[in-house]
Amino acid sequence: MKTPGELRKSISFAIIGSGGAGALTAGAILLETAGKAGWYGIMNRSVGPQIRGGEAAALVRLTTHPVDCMAESYDFVIAIDWRNADRFAAEMPLAADGLAIGDTAGGEVPDVIAASGITVAQMAMKDLAGSVQGGRENMIAAGLAAKLAGLPVDTLMAVVEAKLASKGDEAINASRACISIGVSEADRFEQSFHLDKPVTGSTGRWLITGNEAIGLGAVRGGIRFAAAYPITPATEVLEWLAPALTRVGGALVQAEDELASINMAIGASFGGRASITATSGPGLALMVEALGLATASEIPIVVVDVMRGGPSTGIPTKSEQSDLNIAVYGCHGDAPHIVVAPLSVADCLFTAQWAVHLAEAMQAPAIVLSDQSLGQARALVDRPADIAFVAKRNVLGSEVEEAYDRYALTGSGVSPMALPGTAGGQYTADGLTHTVKGVPSSKESDHQNQLDKRRDKIENFDYGNHWADIEISNDDCTDTQFTILTWGSLAGPAREAMHTLAAEGISVKLLAIRLISPFLKQNFLDALQGSQRILIVEQTHSGQFHEYLRAKCDIPGEVRHFHRAGPKLIGPAEICARIRDWKTS
Amino acid sequence: MNIQQSPNFKASDYKSGLTPVWCPGCGDFHVLLSVTKALAELGTPPENVAVISGIGCSSRIPAYTNCYGFHGVHGRSLALGAGLKVARPDLTVMVMSGDGDGFSIGGNHFLHACRRNVDMTYIVMDNRVYGMTKGQPSPTTEPDWDSALSPGGTGLSPFHPLVIALASGANFVAREFSGDIKGSTRTIVEAVRHPGFSFVEILSPCVTFRPDERQWKTQTHAASVEATDDPARAARRIMTDDGFNVGVLYRGRRKPYETHVSDLAGDPAILEEEFAV
Ligand SMILES: Cc1ncc(C[n+]2csc(CCOP(=O)(O)OP(=O)(O)O)c2C)c(N)n1
Ligand code: SF4
């Protein structure tokens, strides 16, 4: 490395390879290395449709500060193999001063990259790896990337050693040798993309995916039963829960389909165990009837939907926010339930834990709307705070009065639930409209009373200030003319846009909604007080969130709407551009 | 299999006192009686029994018992029951539904419940018709049975529940006739006691839409061959079955599904270590 160049607050790079080349492994160890050295970061993966043998790209962003979204432009890309890389090229536009390094034996540089005018270099990665007994190109790429990014090479070596500990000295030495080759090869390049020193003061760093964070939040919240049917991109929630639940005295059952998985969860919860299942859009569609059953019979369950592109099979590996409508409106009849959405990878933990708490407290189903961009992203985050929320169900005690009414009309709408085994508490949970005792009834008054009860318990609940994240870029600025209004995973890009605009002197408020349903109209309107221009941002083709808000209230001020289907994620620069345009218009 | 012996229970202790919606003469009355007699004989306190069902006339049964009950959605009773039993192995779980509920909309769950072998009892009140929706053919209906929805009959050969149960791995397989209270009670007691997934088909006439089924009283007969623990022998016996053999067909020896749940509250904090960098 000749001249260190300017230190950066954020760098992004991609490592591409065909399946089995280990691009994703290289990305993961670089992320961990950055974490050990005190930086923050996030990694997502882009994979082709093949199960094995297809191309894969590790998309990595490293930062000096906590970060919640991927970058929109890449500083360098290392291709172990260029073949099929044009499939990813659109997802990783290179910065003007960027660098693309490809293996001489790895095929032609894609036109989009060659034509972009950035520096394109060749490196004989395959030959270099071949010079080491058991050497692999992905470790050369890792060494190269570490040096370009200014990551400490000894930390990288330590991470790799720990990872390969079970494979023996030979594998470790081969990897060390390849990393060293990559590091010295980096000196050939003029460019450097070194990160600035990280902000300090955190109490330790975690490396976690959104899907794992959902699992952990659920268990922390008290979940002890899960029913599973695999589906991309939600499977990792279930795969994480399977061994985890066993360690805390719970159980996971693999079901034959989602019709079964949700009903198993309902059955287990009827028995008194806080229960969960996780799926994606197609599975949620199958679960809808049973969601109504849980609502009517007042059995708490948590259903996680890690959203992907839809409708139908859609784009299984790519993110979208387009299950909003089915999550809120999917059930037939009037079926009030809870819908929450995590606002970042780290927030997956909080929101899942909160969802368990809400479901259990209100004896109702809670849907957690995560998405692929959170679920399968691996992020370096500050160790999450311990949260007090745990499952606390209003359960009938062992001293049962003569006449127990399972569905008694209480002020709150929540009535004590008898658990099987409690003598004198026997009742039949039912999806049929029922009396306070649970006896089927088609009387108008029973129908009305139970509908009111189920609405009231959800509408009158105290959600505290967790319903949304509200932030203002600079507190001393009184002119918060602009508000970016968004939900779920789009909170990350929106927050970053807010900070970028603040640095340009444009003060912006962020309103990112975590509690989608019920909709807290008064809180919402209060949060928008003083906002004159509101930009609604969401990752849907039809603008579901915008329509939802419009149906719920008259949004004050001038409103503009930025929405787009996946797979291309909406990023901060696009949001900034819209606010800047608006300011000058 | 949670048999707490207590000889003090009577069948009436397991009845809720609610008047069933069933037509007079419906076979399901007899099934209710046999189930309550069986529970009394088992001596499990009503609060430790859960009766789980789907949708249909037959599926109305939970509320007529004095046990914990769940009247779920159409076809998913086995999933509700499995979730409950895995979460609460201490309970006696009885899943009860009809032939439409269990073999048509819930057919896939039937296969997998047999395979999974969770320790619970599944009683299907088979009337070879959809009673609740007023007389359409079910998977067990004869091919020439005429109805508004299938004029002249479906022309389809009926589904054979015992064959499917055996082939799918059920650990106990039996058939009874609802009118034979003694036989049904005996078999239900045995089914509940038998470890793993026990399947009992009870022929239960729908007097309203299948008045011909009143004949079942004379058509049913004890099987001429003894029950077996050998699936091959059981399969041979079913092949010679005229559909009206009653009694236990098969007592398997498969290990029931292991749940491993415990109330030993492991601290979730142990799960956090893997994330620390
Ligand atoms: C999803 C769904 N589809 C259809 C129905 C209508 N339905 C109610 S009961 C029933 C058939 C019941 O037949 P069976 O299980 O044989 O019970 P029986 O009434 O004969 O005892 C049907 C189709 C329903 N309730 N739910
Ligand atoms: S319709 Fe048939 S199955 Fe239903 S209650 Fe009447 S007799 Fe019984």
Side-chain angles (χ1 to χ4, degrees):
Chain A
M1 204 68 53
K2 318 293 178 293
T3 44
E6 197 189 332
L7 294 176
R8 305 178 184 223
K9 302 247 175 280
S10 164
I11 61 159
S12 286
F13 60 87
I15 300 179
I16 313 179
S18 48
L24 297 179
T25 308
I29 61 173
L30 288 162
L31 188 66
E32 190 173 338
T33 301
K36 283 213 189 301
W39 282 291
Y40 296 86
I42 187 166
M43 169 178 149
N44 213 324
R45 56 189 185 188
S46 190
V47 291
Q50 298 92 333
I51 306 306
R52 280 212 188 278
E55 61 287 356
L59 310 174
V60 184
R61 182 180 188 193
L62 303 178
T63 54
T64 57
H65 50 278
V67 62
D68 291 330
C69 66
M70 300 302 295
E72 290 157 291
S73 102
Y74 284 74
D75 298 300
F76 61 90
V77 49
I78 301 174
I80 299 170
D81 187 339
W82 281 124
R83 279 180 281 266
N84 294 320
D86 42 340
R87 218 180 264 177
F88 301 128
E91 283 179 59
M92 50 181 90
L94 282 152
D97 62 346
L99 174 63
I101 305 165
D103 192 343
T104 21
E108 290 291 307
V109 180
D111 290 346
V112 244
I113 291 179
S116 65
I118 60 137
T119 313
V120 178
Q122 302 273 18
M123 186 191 281
M125 270 183 263
K126 201 183 188 79
D127 294 345
L128 290 166
S131 69
V132 176
Q133 171 88 24
R136 296 192 63 202
E137 293 149 277
N138 68 332
M139 287 300 130
I140 295 185
L144 177 60
K147 192 69 201 279
L148 290 173
L151 296 182
V153 174
D154 48 346
T155 311
L156 174 61
M157 294 287 193
V159 168
V160 169
E161 267 179 41
K163 278 255 171 334
L164 295 179
S166 62
K167 301 235 165 109
D169 285 349
E170 222 165 283
I172 292 175
N173 290 337
S175 290
R176 291 186 67 109
C178 287
I179 289 171
S180 299
I181 294 173
V183 169
S184 56
E185 284 289 311
D187 284 333
R188 285 176 31 206
F189 302 103
E190 284 302 322
Q191 292 92 332
S192 84
F193 307 93
H194 286 195
L195 271 173
D196 206 344
K197 274 207 259 322
V199 294
T200 50
S202 103
T203 54
R205 207 73 94 240
W206 273 19
L207 186 55
I208 193 166
T209 68
N211 281 345
E212 291 165 344
I214 293 235
L216 180 60
V219 175
R220 273 188 175 186
I223 292 290
R224 291 297 180 273
F225 178 89
Y229 194 76
I231 185 168
T232 305
T235 308
E236 299 89 4
V237 175
L238 303 161
E239 287 180 338
W240 188 85
L241 279 171
L245 280 172
T246 336
R247 293 178 68 192
V248 295
L252 176 140
V253 179
Q254 183 176 341
E256 53 272 29
D257 57 28
E258 290 88 347
L259 302 164
S261 58
I262 187 167
N263 278 286
M264 285 178 178
I266 294 171
S269 179
F270 170 73
R273 279 187 181 254
S275 301
I276 196 168
T277 183
T279 187
S280 191
L284 184 65
L286 289 181
M287 292 180 182
V288 161
E289 188 194 20
L291 277 170
L293 174 66
T295 303
S297 59
E298 302 197 45
I299 306 292
I301 46 159
V302 175
V303 176
V304 178
D305 174 8
V306 186
M307 294 181 283
R308 61 194 222 180
S312 191
T313 313
I315 311 182
T317 53
K318 304 285 178 177
S319 207
E320 215 168 70
Q321 293 185 304
S322 48
D323 292 350
L324 179 83
N325 280 349
I326 186 178
V328 175
Y329 297 119
C331 290
H332 64 277
D334 289 306
H337 58 273
I338 302 139
V339 182
V340 293
L343 302 177
S344 66
V345 171
D347 191 50
C348 283
L349 192 148
F350 172 87
T351 298
Q353 188 168 347
W354 192 43
V356 180
H357 167 75
L358 296 178
E360 291 284 322
M362 286 180 264
Q363 301 178 14
I367 299 175
V368 179
L369 282 182
S370 178
D371 61 33
Q372 188 277 335
S373 77
L374 298 178
Q376 294 189 324
R378 188 173 290 283
L380 282 162
V381 300
D382 286 328
R383 184 190 184 286
D386 291 322
I387 321 156
F389 293 129
V390 282
K392 224 172 150 201
R393 200 185 291 189
N394 184 345
V395 167
L396 185 73
S398 53
E399 303 282 303
V400 181
E401 293 168 32
E402 261 311 293
Y404 165 60
D405 294 337
R406 164 66 185 98
Y407 301 104
L409 304 174
T410 59
S412 66
V414 177
S415 38
M417 179 173 174
L419 300 183
T422 310
Q426 291 101 304
Y427 74 102
T428 292
D430 207 322
L432 279 169
T433 291
H434 42 254
T435 67
V436 291
K437 288 219 165 297
V439 175
S441 163
S442 49
K443 261 172 58 186
E444 184 194 353
S445 58
D446 288 326
H447 193 48
Q448 189 69 43
N449 286 342
Q450 295 296 319
L451 286 172
D452 287 350
K453 171 188 198 289
R454 300 195 291 254
R455 177 200 58 204
D456 292 348
K457 67 180 181 182
I458 284 177
E459 289 195 350
N460 300 339
F461 192 82
D462 180 6
Y463 297 91
N465 56 5
H466 306 301
W467 69 281
D469 278 4
I470 307 168
E471 293 165 37
I472 299 176
S473 49
N474 32 349
D475 297 331
D476 43 322
C477 177
T478 49
D479 163 37
T480 46
Q481 199 194 85
F482 290 101
T483 294
I484 305 174
L485 169 53
T486 191
W487 72 285
S489 63
L490 267 282
R495 181 180 294 111
E496 186 159 324
M498 173 181 78
H499 290 307
T500 306
L501 291 164
E504 297 168 16
I506 307 175
S507 173
V508 175
K509 183 193 269 187
L510 169 70
L511 173 53
I513 298 187
R514 181 182 289 109
L515 179 67
I516 302 298
S517 190
F519 180 74
L520 303 189
K521 183 169 167 180
Q522 201 49 55
N523 299 42
F524 177 77
L525 292 175
D526 290 349
L528 285 181
Q529 274 242 318
S531 303
Q532 291 143 35
R533 293 172 162 187
I534 299 163
L535 180 68
I536 298 177
V537 182
E538 61 176 307
Q539 193 96 47
T540 69
H541 184 252
S542 63
Q544 297 182 18
F545 180 59
H546 174 235
E547 284 184 3
Y548 178 64
L549 297 173
R550 291 281 194 196
K552 291 293 180 187
C553 68
D554 291 327
I555 306 171
E558 225 183 306
V559 175
R560 285 191 186 178
H561 186 200
F562 173 32
H563 62 108
R564 178 176 70 217
K568 187 163 183 258
L569 295 177
I570 290 177
E574 293 176 287
I575 300 172
C576 288
R578 275 159 180 84
I579 299 276
R580 286 188 206 108
D581 267 8
W582 205 351
K583 189 160 174 75
T584 53
S585 69
Chain B
M1 283 282 296
N2 304 281
I3 318 300
Q4 286 134 295
Q5 288 301 342
S6 161
N8 304 326
F9 288 105
K10 299 187 293 295
S12 58
D13 293 329
Y14 295 89
K15 282 206 174 140
S16 69
L18 219 63
T19 309
V21 294
W22 297 322
C23 311
C26 175
D28 296 348
F29 282 104
H30 287 146
V31 178
L32 176 62
L33 183 60
S34 299
V35 166
T36 54
K37 278 174 168 285
L39 288 171
E41 192 174 327
L42 288 161
T44 315
E47 66 271 17
N48 290 344
V49 180
V51 182
I52 312 293
S53 72
I55 296 292
C57 298
S58 40
S59 290
R60 287 289 196 125
I61 203 163
Y64 306 143
T65 74
N66 184 34
C67 305
Y68 279 87
F70 207 133
H71 184 210
V73 291
H74 195 24
R76 318 293 166 215
S77 53
L78 284 170
L80 279 178
L84 177 60
K85 181 66 188 186
V86 171
R88 290 287 307 275
D90 57 308
L91 300 172
T92 295
V93 176
M94 322 231 348
V95 179
M96 304 189 65
S97 73
D99 43 303
D101 192 85
F103 305 144
S104 191
I105 191 167
N108 190 39
H109 306 306
F110 180 44
L111 305 185
H112 293 279
C114 294
R115 234 188 101 219
R116 197 174 282 118
N117 203 27
V118 171
D119 184 18
M120 58 189 190
T121 300
Y122 183 36
I123 296 173
V124 172
M125 293 168 250
D126 189 355
N127 55 13
R128 301 187 180 169
V129 73
Y130 286 19
M132 178 141 277
T133 46
K134 303 200 181 340
Q136 298 80 27
S138 87
T140 48
T141 304
E142 302 78 352
D144 56 351
W145 186 72
D146 186 57
S147 72
L149 194 60
S150 60
T154 60
L156 303 175
S157 53
F159 181 102
H160 201 320
L162 302 193
V163 174
I164 307 274
L166 187 70
S168 308
N171 214 29
F172 179 94
V173 181
R175 186 195 285 129
E176 288 297 340
F177 168 58
S178 61
D180 178 3
I181 311 282
K182 231 172 129 186
S184 300
T185 303
R186 193 190 325 113
T187 297
I188 294 168
V189 167
E190 207 194 314
V192 173
R193 285 197 174 133
H194 196 87
F197 185 77
S198 299
F199 170 62
V200 184
E201 179 192 36
I202 301 189
L203 298 174
S204 177
C206 171
V207 293
T208 302
F209 298 105
R210 298 292 310 263
D212 53 308
E213 291 175 351
R214 290 179 189 273
Q215 302 303 318
W216 283 356
K217 195 174 166 152
T218 52
Q219 286 173 292
T220 51
H221 52 85
S224 53
V225 190
E226 284 287 287
T228 171
D229 63 359
D230 173 5
R233 281 187 56 203
R236 270 198 301 279
R237 189 186 109 182
I238 310 179
M239 291 310 162
T240 60
D241 180 1
D242 60 357
F244 293 104
N245 270 348
V246 296
V248 179
L249 169 71
Y250 174 68
R251 298 185 180 95
R253 298 173 183 276
R254 278 178 65 211
K255 224 167 96 203
Y257 186 89
E258 283 271 4
T259 77
H260 300 295
V261 295
S262 73
D263 283 326
L264 293 174
D267 184 352
I270 57 172
L271 304 173
E272 296 172 6
E273 288 153 19
E274 66 174 290
F275 301 120
V277 174

